[in-house]
């Protein structure tokens, strides 16, 4: 491994010195490091002279791996910019939970040394893409979920849904989440959807506050085409793509399918789905 690209968030000013220590550690290991331009300017607010190459997020240079320095939101942003390049992504947690990341910043020495020594594996995670028949969506790819939501109204949504070209149902309620296995522990879990092992080949459709008690989460194959036409008394509804919101006109149709590429997530040896559930979601622990 020779080249790394770095993405980060600008919300944790107390971590700048530790991040600069990480960058020094990487360079002392003989790695060529380039930093996303906005993040590099943020690091320079510390007053340190950070003399590193930079790049625009829209034009990521080819590298052996991308490092995401932050929490899950930063990780999702990094996925959006680099996954289409087939680049593996290592998440270093600066946030709170950091469910998607491989470890915390204080572990950077061991983590990076493990990665440099080849002591890691890559998990390929299903991603989604969405298209609207009425508006163009600038960034239509998601690692976690695509959610259809109400916009500035208390009116219920009617979401006519077809699965592989066949009528499924009309979901009535506050919205509908189409989640990947990776996203099953995010918004999907908060509305009562099932938790899925991240590398399984399936998707989950989970209604949000459904009008009917018979509307339950549904697991389908990830090669499914899901088409949803949404009606409401409001003029628009929201489409949230890993938290990035696009307004679509009422009556328009969304087509949701598996993206043509995967997110390649770097995991340290010993990290696995079961240990992540125990350590980060306190799975099965007595919280009394």
């Amino acid at each position: 491994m020779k080249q790394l690209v770095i993405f980060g968030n600008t919300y944790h000013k107390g971590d700048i010195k530790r991040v600069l220590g990480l960058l020094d550690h990487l360079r002392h290991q003989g790695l060529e490091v380039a930093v996303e331009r906005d993040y590099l300017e943020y690091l320079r607010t510390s007053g340190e002279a950070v003399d590193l190459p930079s790049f625009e997020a829209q034009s990521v240079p080819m590298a052996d791996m991308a490092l995401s320095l932050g929490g899950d939101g930063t990780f999702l942003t990094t996925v959006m910019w680099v996954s289409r390049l087939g680049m593996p992504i290592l998440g270093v947690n600066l946030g709170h939970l950091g469910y998607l990341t491989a470890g915390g910043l204080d572990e950077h020495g061991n983590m990076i040394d493990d990665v440099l020594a080849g002591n890691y594996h890559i998990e390929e995670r299903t991603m989604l893409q969405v298209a609207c028949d009425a508006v163009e969506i600038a960034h239509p790819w998601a690692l976690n979920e695509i959610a259809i939501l109400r916009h500035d109204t208390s009116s219920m949504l009617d979401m006519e849904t077809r699965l592989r070209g066949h009528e499924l149902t009309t979901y009535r309620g506050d919205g509908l989440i189409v989640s990947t296995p990776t996203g099953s522990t995010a918004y999907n879990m908060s509305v009562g959807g099932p938790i899925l092992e991240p590398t399984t080949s399936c998707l989950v459709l989970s209604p949000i506050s459904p009008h009917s008690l018979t509307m339950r989460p549904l697991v389908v194959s990830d090669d499914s085409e899901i088409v949803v036409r949404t009606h409401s008394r409001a003029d628009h509804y929201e489409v949230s793509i890993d938290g990035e919101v696009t307004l679509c006109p009422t009556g328009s149709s969304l087509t949701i399918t598996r993206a043509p590429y995967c997110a390649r997530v770097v995991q340290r040896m010993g990290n696995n789905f079961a240990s992540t559930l125990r350590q980060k979601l306190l799975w099965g622990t007595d919280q009394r």
Side-chain angles (χ1 to χ4, degrees):
M1 185 181 303
K2 296 181 179 180
Q3 298 170 318
L4 293 175
V5 292
I6 310 290
F7 290 80
N9 72 47
T10 58
Y11 302 109
H12 300 278
K13 288 191 177 294
D15 290 319
I16 288 181
K17 288 186 177 180
R18 292 196 296 157
V19 169
L20 294 178
L22 169 60
L23 296 179
D24 284 341
H25 180 78
L26 296 174
R27 287 185 292 179
H28 288 156
Q29 296 298 314
L31 294 170
E32 298 175 16
V33 177
V35 182
E36 189 271 325
R37 188 179 304 279
D38 289 342
Y39 189 52
L40 183 62
E41 292 304 316
Y42 165 73
L43 294 177
R44 286 173 173 163
T45 63
S46 66
E48 298 285 340
V50 187
D51 185 20
L52 287 171
S54 65
F55 60 90
E56 300 288 349
Q58 297 86 345
S59 303
V60 182
M62 287 304 300
D64 298 306
M65 187 175 291
L67 261 62
S68 170
L69 306 181
D72 290 340
T74 308
F75 192 89
L76 292 173
T77 299
T78 305
V79 166
M80 180 180 70
W81 293 119
V82 310
S83 288
R84 66 185 184 276
L85 303 175
M87 195 182 301
I89 305 165
L90 174 64
V92 180
N93 185 32
L94 293 174
H96 300 289
L97 179 61
Y99 187 83
L100 296 172
T101 61
L105 183 61
D106 291 333
E107 305 170 53
H108 71 77
N110 290 333
M111 185 190 305
I112 295 300
D113 290 342
D114 281 350
V115 170
L116 293 178
N119 296 323
Y120 67 93
H121 63 280
I122 295 175
E123 291 183 352
E124 293 196 343
R125 306 284 187 88
T126 295
M127 294 184 64
L128 295 172
Q129 67 178 12
V130 58
C132 179
D133 64 358
V135 298
E136 183 177 356
I137 298 176
H139 298 289
W141 305 283
L143 174 61
N144 270 356
E145 77 274 317
I146 294 167
I148 300 169
L149 306 168
R150 297 180 305 169
H151 176 66
D152 293 338
T153 178
S154 60
S155 297
M156 183 171 59
L157 299 179
D158 286 354
M159 295 158 286
E160 301 172 1
T161 305
R162 299 181 67 84
L163 179 66
R164 299 194 197 92
H166 302 288
E167 180 183 356
L168 178 62
T169 190
T170 296
Y171 291 98
R172 295 184 173 90
D174 288 353
L176 177 68
I177 300 168
V178 180
S179 169
T180 67
T182 300
S184 68
T185 50
Y187 200 172
N188 167 75
M189 184 174 70
S190 73
V191 300
I195 294 176
L196 304 175
E197 191 168 10
T199 55
T200 53
S201 300
C202 55
L203 307 174
V204 186
L205 283 73
S206 295
I208 304 170
S209 301
H211 184 63
S212 170
L213 292 178
T214 63
M215 293 294 181
R216 300 295 183 180
L218 175 67
V219 178
V220 300
S221 171
D222 70 357
D223 63 0
S224 302
E225 179 187 76
I226 301 163
V227 178
V228 184
R229 187 174 298 278
T230 299
H231 303 279
S232 172
R233 293 179 184 175
D235 293 332
H236 294 85
Y237 61 95
E238 295 182 2
V239 180
S240 174
I241 305 167
D242 279 353
E244 295 290 329
V245 174
T246 297
L247 290 183
C248 293
T250 296
S252 62
S253 179
L254 299 175
T255 300
I256 301 170
T257 57
R258 183 176 59 196
Y261 50 80
C262 295
R264 305 185 69 217
V265 179
V266 175
Q267 297 282 11
R268 300 174 69 182
M269 291 300 186
N271 279 15
N272 56 66
F273 178 57
S275 66
T276 299
L277 285 179
R278 293 197 309 274
Q279 295 169 13
K280 296 188 177 181
L281 293 186
L282 304 179
W283 197 251
T285 60
D286 188 348
Q287 300 182 44
R288 290 178 294 178

